[in-house]
Amino acid sequence: MTSKPDPISLLGLSPEVKILSVEDCPSQNRITLDVEFEPEEQVCPRCGSHHCVLKDTGQTRAIRHLPSAGRSVFIRFTPRRFACEDCRAVFKESVSWIHKRLQMTDALFAEISLRLTENVSIRSIANREYVTPCVVKDVLDLAAAGKPAELPVALCMFDFRAKVGTWDSDIHHWDSYAYLCGIADGTTGVLLDILPGADIACLSDYFGSYTISQLSRVRLVICGMNGIFISVARKFFPSAVTGIEPCCMSGCLNAAMDRIRMRALSNPAGQEPGQSAENQLSLRETARFLRIRPSSGEIPVPHNANAQERLSRVLEVFPDISEMYTLLTEFGAIITSDWPGTVRQDLNKWLEHASSSSVPEIRDAASTVRHWRGYLLDGLEFRDHCICCMELMGTIRAFMRVSGCSHSFEAMRNRLLLICGTVHPASPAGGGRGFHPSCGGES
């Protein structure tokens, strides 16, 4: 005969807990359990003495627990008060399966902490656990982590735009959309910290708090195409190699192609009247094939005959676009080629070809590439570290798109460190969380 399952174990409660009654309230979609349990050994919070005796009982208390049967569950009990025989302090009893700082059980706290590491919104977590979003945010607030105690050998710095700010009561709107700075390990692709700004003052304050020996541990700096990052790298990591991500240069070339394409769309002169509209339509439909992919350095290739025909027509009718398309293809081959190879020679030939062009957008792009040439070559030499940083940025963009981002900088920082960093969630004991010892951070 099959034994009937124990409701205590099904609800994830301690075996010492005894359910006295169950109050079902379908209108509020909640279940309330009246329970009692034997008192545990108490330790005086003032002096640490174990000589504590039962004094009296306090007011009835209700805490949240894991949902059951599609309803929220509350556990109601009457806490006891104890008195210390040594220092005469009076305190409420401490229960091992109840969170020390939040009105919930450790089981619910651990479940919400685990959900916070997933790329879902806070509201989705709240709906899944049958709690309010404020409860999820309370758990997230305990996930505060300090900055890493040690900097990695390969350091990545990148900026991204996020919807954080303060409420402006005059215009009844959030003062949002600021550029933040991410600090990551270029070897593992782990997010280490997020700074509230990407300006030189914020970065100087951050890295200035490290000692000279800690700063000297960094041997490679990978950053975006930003003069502020280069200045900070020269100041704090003078002996490290500094390189920029090739994807930043790909974005510059894509922008040049977009300017040429928009000029061709707005100026159909020189084309036959009957073919002008058709050629412009082909140019609009093939726009995605005229850009280089920053993640792979390749240009998308049309797979069907119609798209191939339209692309061939565009390259034949618009000579400026054809020239830029050739340069994009050559640049993609350079940044995807094996190092060392002939990358330096190929890049010099590419610059010579682009600089001699009669198209002003191409000459401007060549000037930008020449300015960043040394940093670009260093970034290509350490391409594996750049790929780790690019994948991390892709994860952050996915978080912004899927999960949304809080207007609070601290909440967004804690959430991103939970998702993209090797950081443990806060412990049920009520303390904050810390970096995993394997990444040399604070525990």
Side-chain angles (χ1 to χ4, degrees):
M1 182 177 178
T2 305
S3 60
K4 189 176 181 180
D6 184 9
I8 297 294
S9 60
L10 290 178
L11 291 172
L13 294 174
S14 175
E16 292 78 13
V17 178
K18 179 181 179 181
I19 298 179
L20 301 179
S21 63
V22 178
E23 180 183 334
D24 191 359
C25 185
S27 60
Q28 298 182 6
N29 198 30
R30 61 184 289 178
I31 300 174
T32 303
L33 305 178
D34 290 298
V35 303
E36 67 175 7
F37 46 89
E38 293 295 328
E40 303 174 0
E41 182 182 2
Q42 302 296 315
V43 178
C44 178
R46 176 186 293 180
C47 65
S49 173
H50 290 265
H51 303 116
C52 303
V53 296
L54 180 62
K55 179 178 175 62
D56 55 18
T57 57
Q59 296 181 350
T60 302
R61 178 185 177 190
I63 61 172
R64 293 181 180 272
H65 187 50
L66 292 171
S68 178
R71 296 183 184 180
S72 59
V73 175
F74 283 80
I75 297 177
R76 189 163 55 197
F77 66 100
T78 303
R80 291 165 281 248
R81 298 202 309 164
F82 286 80
C84 177
E85 294 182 336
D86 295 335
C87 66
R88 301 300 179 183
V90 179
F91 57 93
K92 290 183 179 180
E93 67 175 326
S94 176
V95 185
S96 60
W97 46 272
I98 297 178
H99 196 272
K100 300 298 185 294
R101 297 175 61 181
L102 302 178
Q103 300 293 321
M104 63 179 65
T105 61
D106 287 341
L108 179 59
F109 180 85
E111 180 71 15
I112 295 177
S113 298
L114 180 63
R115 299 300 178 194
L116 284 171
T117 62
E118 302 174 355
N119 194 8
V120 294
S121 65
I122 289 181
R123 184 169 294 277
S124 298
I125 299 175
N127 294 338
R128 184 167 183 174
E129 302 301 331
Y130 294 91
V131 297
T132 62
C134 293
V135 174
V136 181
K137 291 180 180 179
D138 288 340
V139 176
L140 181 61
D141 289 341
L142 293 182
K147 66 180 181 180
E150 294 290 340
L151 295 174
V153 177
L155 178 70
C156 286
M157 295 186 293
F158 57 93
D159 56 350
F160 61 97
R161 195 165 179 252
K163 191 176 182 181
V164 295
T166 57
W167 177 258
D168 192 334
S169 58
D170 295 333
I171 61 176
H172 299 282
H173 197 273
W174 286 92
D175 179 18
S176 305
Y177 293 110
Y179 278 94
L180 309 181
C181 179
I183 307 296
D185 188 337
T187 303
T188 60
V190 170
L191 182 65
L192 299 179
D193 208 345
I194 295 179
L195 308 186
D199 55 283
I200 193 167
C202 183
L203 289 168
S204 298
D205 290 342
Y206 182 80
F207 291 113
S209 61
Y210 287 97
T211 63
I212 297 178
S213 60
Q214 291 173 331
L215 294 174
S216 62
R217 187 171 184 266
V218 179
R219 310 304 302 170
L220 172 66
V221 177
I222 299 296
C223 60
M225 201 168 63
N226 190 328
I228 294 177
F229 292 153
I230 300 298
S231 300
V232 170
R234 287 177 176 177
K235 178 179 179 180
F236 293 96
F237 315 106
S239 59
V241 177
T242 303
I244 64 171
E245 305 168 9
C247 66
C248 300
M249 196 60 67
S250 301
C252 175
L253 299 181
N254 287 336
M257 172 63 87
D258 290 339
R259 291 194 296 270
I260 298 174
R261 187 172 56 85
M262 296 305 297
R263 175 165 56 82
L265 287 172
S266 60
N267 184 21
Q271 303 180 33
E272 298 180 5
Q275 296 182 348
S276 176
E278 183 179 358
N279 291 335
Q280 289 188 341
L281 178 61
S282 298
L283 183 56
R284 290 189 179 93
E285 292 178 347
T286 57
R288 65 182 182 278
F289 302 118
L290 301 175
R291 298 176 61 85
I292 186 172
R293 288 195 184 106
S295 57
S296 62
E298 300 175 351
I299 296 180
V301 179
H303 297 290
N304 57 74
N306 293 333
Q308 294 175 1
E309 182 180 354
R310 287 193 296 268
L311 179 60
S312 300
R313 182 188 304 167
V314 167
L315 298 179
E316 180 180 356
V317 173
F318 303 97
D320 293 352
I321 292 180
S322 178
E323 183 178 0
M324 189 65 202
Y325 183 82
T326 302
L327 289 172
L328 279 178
T329 305
E330 294 175 354
F331 188 83
I334 292 173
I335 65 177
T336 57
S337 60
D338 295 332
W339 184 270
T342 59
V343 173
R344 294 182 183 272
Q345 293 81 357
D346 293 342
L347 185 59
N348 290 336
K349 293 179 181 178
W350 187 93
L351 285 171
E352 183 179 355
H353 180 193
S355 300
S356 60
S357 173
S358 60
V359 182
E361 292 85 357
I362 295 179
R363 293 198 304 269
D364 292 342
S367 177
T368 303
V369 174
R370 184 182 293 105
H371 177 76
W372 296 93
R373 176 180 177 276
Y375 299 109
L376 175 61
L377 290 173
D378 290 335
L380 291 173
E381 183 176 359
F382 300 97
R383 187 183 296 116
D384 293 342
H385 301 282
C386 295
I387 293 176
C388 290
C389 187
M390 289 164 55
E391 291 177 349
L392 176 60
M393 293 176 64
T395 303
I396 293 177
R397 284 193 295 267
F399 167 78
M400 298 293 183
R401 183 176 62 254
V402 177
S403 302
C405 50
S406 173
H407 291 288
S408 169
F409 165 75
E410 290 297 333
M412 191 196 66
R413 173 182 177 270
N414 295 339
R415 189 74 194 281
L416 282 175
L417 287 175
L418 279 173
I419 296 175
C420 307
T422 56
V423 180
H424 291 311
S427 63
R433 110 199 134 171
F435 283 88
H436 194 280
S438 63
C439 66
E442 299 173 354
S443 59

